[in-house]
Amino acid sequence: MDDPVDAYTTRFQKQEREIKSLSEEIEKLKNPENLGISSQLAELREENARLKYRLNILKRSLQDENKKCVKNTKNISQHLKQSNQFNKNMLNINQHLQKLFGDAIRMAFPDLQNPPLSVAPSQQGRFGDYQCNSAMAMAQMMKANGQKVSPREIAEKIVENIPFNDLIEKAEIAGPGFINIHLKKAFVSKLLTTVLVNGVQPPPLEMKKKVIVDFSSPNIAKEMHVGHLRSTIIGDSMCRLFEFLGYDVLRLNHVGDWGTQFGMLIAHLQDKFPNYLTVSPPIGDLQAFYKESKKRFDSEEDFKKRAYQCVVKLQSKEPEFIKAWKLICDVSRNGLVQLDEGRKIVFPPGHSIPLTVVKSDGGYTYDTSDLAALKQRLFEEKADIMIYVTDSGQSGHFQLIFAAGQMIGWYNPAETRVEHAGFGVVLGEDKKKFKTRSGDTVRLVDLLEEGLKRSMDKLIEKERDKFLTAEELTKAQRSVAFGCIKYADLSHNRINDYVFSFDKMLDDRGNTAAYLLYAFTRIRSIARLANIEEATLREAAQSTEVLLDHEKEWKLGKCILRFPEILQKILDDLLLHTLCDYLYELATTFTEFYDSCYCVEKDRQTGEVVKVNMWRLLLCEATAAIMAKGFDILGITPVQKM
């Protein structure tokens, strides 16, 4: 795209010249001596009116262009400010394009409320690198509002209003209104250099939020079994993702503690209603009452000390404090808890099944402990995001818990994200629930030991024991065994059941950890086998431009830079198989590149290195860096030699 400032300046100058010329003509027409024959007077007056009209249009056009130029100047300065943020962090290209096209749509159609925005990578190279497909949906929306505009016209206006940027080379309109976006190779090259120089850094985080992930939850009285496998693997990977992106992550599998909360409430009760022992305190809004006590607890040191003393006295069962505790509990239950055949139950809105808070025998249930855990995590841990990783069979239970939490007023789903990430069960190769031959539940330790045995058999079958030391062989064994078990789980959509098969997960063909680990090791070995030191590669990253002239270089470069887009998608839907699919796509795209583009050229007879194409070696390094970070998020440990 040309520099818009130069284009606007040229247009201004041309329009100013036209205005000056028209003004001179109008002045001449005002003078009767210049009118000539009187019979032509009416005609000349008409011409005068037309010229004035044209003059006004040109003046308005000039004002509009001036406003647009000022807006683009602001966009340029904003862009320069943003570009400084991208010096170290990876840029989410899709997100950046969405912002550019969102701005263009708002400038082109300022009166259209909530216009649809659709930007995605192109499926075929001939349609550009990305596509914006908003025009068709916008045409439908405008038609519903009584405006008939073709999608192609809409697309043209969008393209005309794309703000100044150094990412887009050109935007072409195809078919009924598709906008094919072509990226600038120089800018993509700079983004790859950023990865090579600074490592794989996540995009800047707008706000560091507190994330709690509840997962695994083994019964400490029993051994862990295959049923714990999915929750542990999926939950751990989710935590790693949030941690990499810069969130404050707390891993949990306990029900929490309520002591301090009641200490605060009782101390506040004593101050606000000193005669509470004889007169029932008129607490109408327990949530507001709690917030008042929490504010004092955080800001008043003396109040905090008294709150802690109240906890001690409550736990010592002093009558005055037990009564205060019961008063608060009564307020909490008022209007929410119903009695049903001795049980105390709660009906969250929109649900026909109740939560059982207290059983008829006075005992508590999972409903009770999960409600307590929800409250503790919201008010004491101050979580902004809570993810519960359990099997899908518990989905109904958690929907009840979340609905009750909202009904009580503990959280607003528009501000706090509370979500159940359910998963299917592990099946045996007979498509039935995974069990031992005798029908018993498979112990986790037995499954892992079997994985270690099979991975060693695979390595020996490939004669790796002849090239690796005993220590290297053991590392490779553990990497393949545990990596394959984790990847086999994570590469499937967690919502579905999946079949556990050692034969499939240890296969080094297709989308498996075995294939990816071998591919990663090969990529890492390219520079080493060419006797290129790491220090040389680091220096080259600073000084060598990453060329993207060959179609396979270009395809690989773009694939590498899609990593932040993939992570953002997983952040939104918590489906980790998307990362596995991406890593497999990256590995196969690299193979296409390596087969077509020589990185290191050797003498065919002597085998000596005669030429090193350093920019291509840097593409190898960037690929490996992204794969390594992807493995880390999945909890997989690659090895240097395999």
Side-chain angles (χ1 to χ4, degrees), residues 444-457:
L444 193 56
V445 65
D446 294 336
L447 183 141
L448 296 176
E449 285 177 0
E450 176 70 12
L452 286 168
K453 177 183 176 300
R454 291 198 180 216
S455 66
M456 180 59 80
D457 292 343

Side-chain angles (χ1 to χ4, degrees), residues 561-580:
L561 294 176
R562 277 188 30 237
F563 187 56
E565 299 173 27
I566 298 300
L567 299 188
Q568 183 59 50
K569 184 180 183 305
I570 301 168
L571 200 64
D572 294 338
D573 61 24
L574 302 176
L575 296 173
L576 287 152
H577 71 276
T578 305
L579 178 55
C580 299

Side-chain angles (χ1 to χ4, degrees), residues 259-278:
T260 304
Q261 289 185 36
F262 272 103
M264 296 185 318
L265 289 166
I266 292 170
H268 191 49
L269 179 72
Q270 290 172 334
D271 290 346
K272 200 160 185 180
F273 304 103
N275 59 344
Y276 72 91
L277 288 172
T278 54

Side-chain angles (χ1 to χ4, degrees), residues 499-564:
V499 175
F500 190 96
S501 168
F502 274 122
D503 290 336
K504 287 182 180 177
M505 65 178 65
L506 289 168
D507 194 341
D508 55 9
R509 296 163 299 176
N511 188 7
T512 66
Y515 169 77
L516 290 175
L517 287 167
Y518 288 129
F520 176 80
T521 303
R522 285 196 301 273
I523 295 168
R524 278 289 192 214
S525 69
I526 293 168
R528 187 177 70 248
L529 295 175
N531 297 317
I532 307 292
E533 299 289 336
E534 283 191 21
T536 305
L537 289 169
R538 284 196 298 271
E539 186 180 328
Q542 299 271 4
S543 59
T544 305
E545 180 185 0
V546 180
L547 302 177
L548 301 165
D549 297 329
H550 194 285
E551 63 171 326
K552 299 301 182 184
E553 294 171 339
W554 180 235
K555 185 178 179 181
L556 178 60
K558 290 187 296 178
C559 189
I560 290 168
L561 294 176
R562 277 188 30 237
F563 187 56

Side-chain angles (χ1 to χ4, degrees), residues 9 16 20 22 32-33 36 66 118 318 333 365 432 434 503 525-526 547 571 577 639:
T9 303
E16 283 175 342
K20 187 178 179 182
L22 287 168
E33 295 177 2
N66 186 45
S118 173
E318 292 190 19
R333 286 190 290 263
T365 66
K432 295 179 181 177
F434 194 31
D503 290 336
S525 69
I526 293 168
L547 302 177
L571 200 64
H577 71 276
V639 291

Side-chain angles (χ1 to χ4, degrees), residues 345-358:
I345 61 174
V346 173
F347 277 96
H351 294 268
S352 58
I353 301 172
L355 288 169
T356 300
V357 180
V358 183

